[in-house]
Amino acid sequence: MKYALAAGQRVEASPDGRATCPTCNGEVIAKCGSYRIWHWAHRGMQDCDSWAEKETEWHRAWKNRFPADHQEVVLHDGQSGERHVADVRTSHGLVIEFQHSHLDPKERTERESFYGNMLWVVDGTRLKGDYPRFLKGIDRHRPIINGHFLLAFPEECLPKIWLESSVPVIFDFRGVDASESSDHLKNVLWCLLPGRAEGNAVLVGMSPEQFVSVAPSRAQLIQVMETLANISQVLRELRAQQRYWSLPLPPGGRPLRRPSPRFWDFGSAVRLSNRMRHPRCKSMPKHIHQVPDQ
Ligand SMILES: [Zn+2]
């Protein structure tokens, strides 16, 4: 942990420092070696928070981008008596957990239900294959609306464990290296929204600076329900438009009445129709194939 209590103050570890744990009041000892980042550890090394993990440089660097009083906030469930330390909790009640290590899906679900209003930031550099797979997957899809991407096959692009998360999951593929990468896709944080829009996973791209400046100012980083509803609407309108064009001409060959102007004005839907094709699928993506003929 980064902070412990000494004389009622939150203090960082310094050589020979002694303090108490803000969660359990147990004694903690300063660990100030050259191998790991300086931190406080419980005597006997067993942390009182069963979810605590060895803090990496990446983890600490992310926490440091938020105000000190938003970092390491102890949360207590009055009913179960459970206590856990949120990496970051903003004054609007949004919990941000930075996840470097592998996480069991069961524990992921437990943490999501304990923190409620939360999002994950995942270290996308831990496993060598994650970024190449992401690149391959994202390459098949184009942005559709303001930096939103649709993934018809998210499992081809992102680590499985995060696909069913009930909260937004942000992938950080740049890792601890804070310098700008020549690979512009690495400089972007990719946020997978929970839920699906007409069967598609939705990824939202944002810069780390945007994330750090916006996250503390809102109860939710992204209005998930609203975003999914808007995208679903675009997809439905597109489908209706395609259905119209696939109707056979009536006897005599006179074209049908033009569809309502709404479809013609819907720029995004038209752009979408040009861009949504999955390269392995010469015609339209699956969910559009599934439209019943009338
Ligand atoms: Zn403790």
Side-chain angles (χ1 to χ4, degrees):
M1 70 184 86
K2 180 180 169 187
Y3 293 109
L5 295 174
Q9 300 291 314
R10 270 157 61 93
V11 290
E12 291 191 45
S14 56
D16 301 323
R18 291 284 165 104
T20 56
C21 166
T23 312
C24 68
N25 282 322
E27 191 186 352
V28 289
I29 310 159
K31 298 282 181 183
C32 302
S34 49
Y35 178 61
R36 279 187 56 196
I37 47 164
W38 290 10
H39 63 282
W40 295 104
H42 287 74
R43 266 196 183 284
M45 304 304 284
Q46 185 74 275
D47 200 293
C48 61
D49 184 348
S50 55
W51 293 345
E53 293 179 4
K54 271 189 187 171
E55 212 178 344
T56 61
E57 214 183 312
W58 172 83
H59 203 133
R60 181 65 66 87
W62 263 117
K63 279 208 294 210
N64 286 343
R65 297 185 78 166
F66 293 85
D69 59 343
H70 289 181
Q71 298 176 31
E72 295 188 351
V73 179
V74 181
L75 297 174
H76 177 232
D77 179 335
Q79 280 196 326
S80 66
E82 236 180 300
R83 279 172 197 268
H84 294 288
V85 182
D87 284 333
V88 164
R89 186 177 187 270
T90 69
S91 48
H92 291 271
L94 174 65
V95 167
I96 304 172
E97 282 283 282
F98 301 101
Q99 191 62 31
H100 166 79
S101 320
H102 168 76
L103 194 58
D104 180 77
K106 188 169 164 271
E107 186 174 325
R108 194 208 69 225
T109 311
E110 285 167 5
R111 293 207 211 177
E112 290 173 2
S113 98
F114 179 83
Y115 292 125
N117 181 24
M118 72 165 294
L119 60 84
W120 297 100
V121 178
V122 174
D123 185 354
T125 64
R126 189 178 66 92
L127 296 176
K128 274 204 177 103
D130 280 357
Y131 187 60
R133 177 179 50 197
F134 172 77
L135 277 185
K136 227 165 127 190
I138 202 77
D139 208 37
R140 296 183 182 148
H141 303 277
R142 301 282 165 89
I144 50 153
I145 309 158
N146 300 332
H148 293 62
F149 285 67
L150 291 191
L151 303 178
F153 307 97
E155 64 284 358
E156 290 182 2
C157 194
L158 298 167
K160 225 181 190 168
I161 154 137
W162 299 107
L163 296 181
E164 297 309 321
S165 179
S166 62
V167 300
V169 182
I170 293 177
F171 296 91
D172 171 15
F173 292 110
R174 193 159 74 181
V176 78
D177 179 8
S179 58
E180 192 92 340
S181 168
S182 56
D183 174 355
H184 72 280
L185 289 176
K186 253 191 190 178
N187 294 324
V188 175
L189 293 175
W190 297 95
C191 180
L192 172 69
L193 301 187
R196 299 288 181 263
E198 301 284 296
N200 295 274
V202 179
L203 265 187
V204 185
M206 69 187 90
S207 71
E209 294 70 30
Q210 266 176 318
F211 169 56
V212 169
S213 75
V214 172
S217 67
R218 300 179 180 170
Q220 259 116 32
L221 179 70
I222 294 170
Q223 295 294 330
V224 174
M225 300 302 277
E226 204 183 13
T227 305
L228 292 180
N230 287 342
I231 294 177
S232 299
Q233 177 67 15
V234 169
L235 292 173
R236 279 195 297 270
E237 301 210 5
L238 168 66
R239 207 153 54 178
Q241 194 186 48
Q242 284 175 336
R243 195 158 52 206
Y244 167 81
W245 286 115
S246 67
L247 290 177
L249 287 179
R254 267 176 66 92
L256 293 163
R257 196 167 55 83
R258 279 165 69 107
S260 70
R262 179 161 168 71
F263 294 130
W264 294 101
D265 296 340
F266 216 108
S268 341
V270 175
R271 283 198 296 281
L272 192 65
S273 69
N274 297 330
R275 292 175 174 182
M276 265 291 294
R277 288 162 203 267
H278 193 279
R280 289 197 321 201
C281 171
K282 294 274 183 266
S283 54
M284 292 309 290
K286 214 169 161 194
H287 63 270
I288 292 175
H289 275 307
Q290 285 167 345
V291 177
D293 290 321
Q294 287 183 343

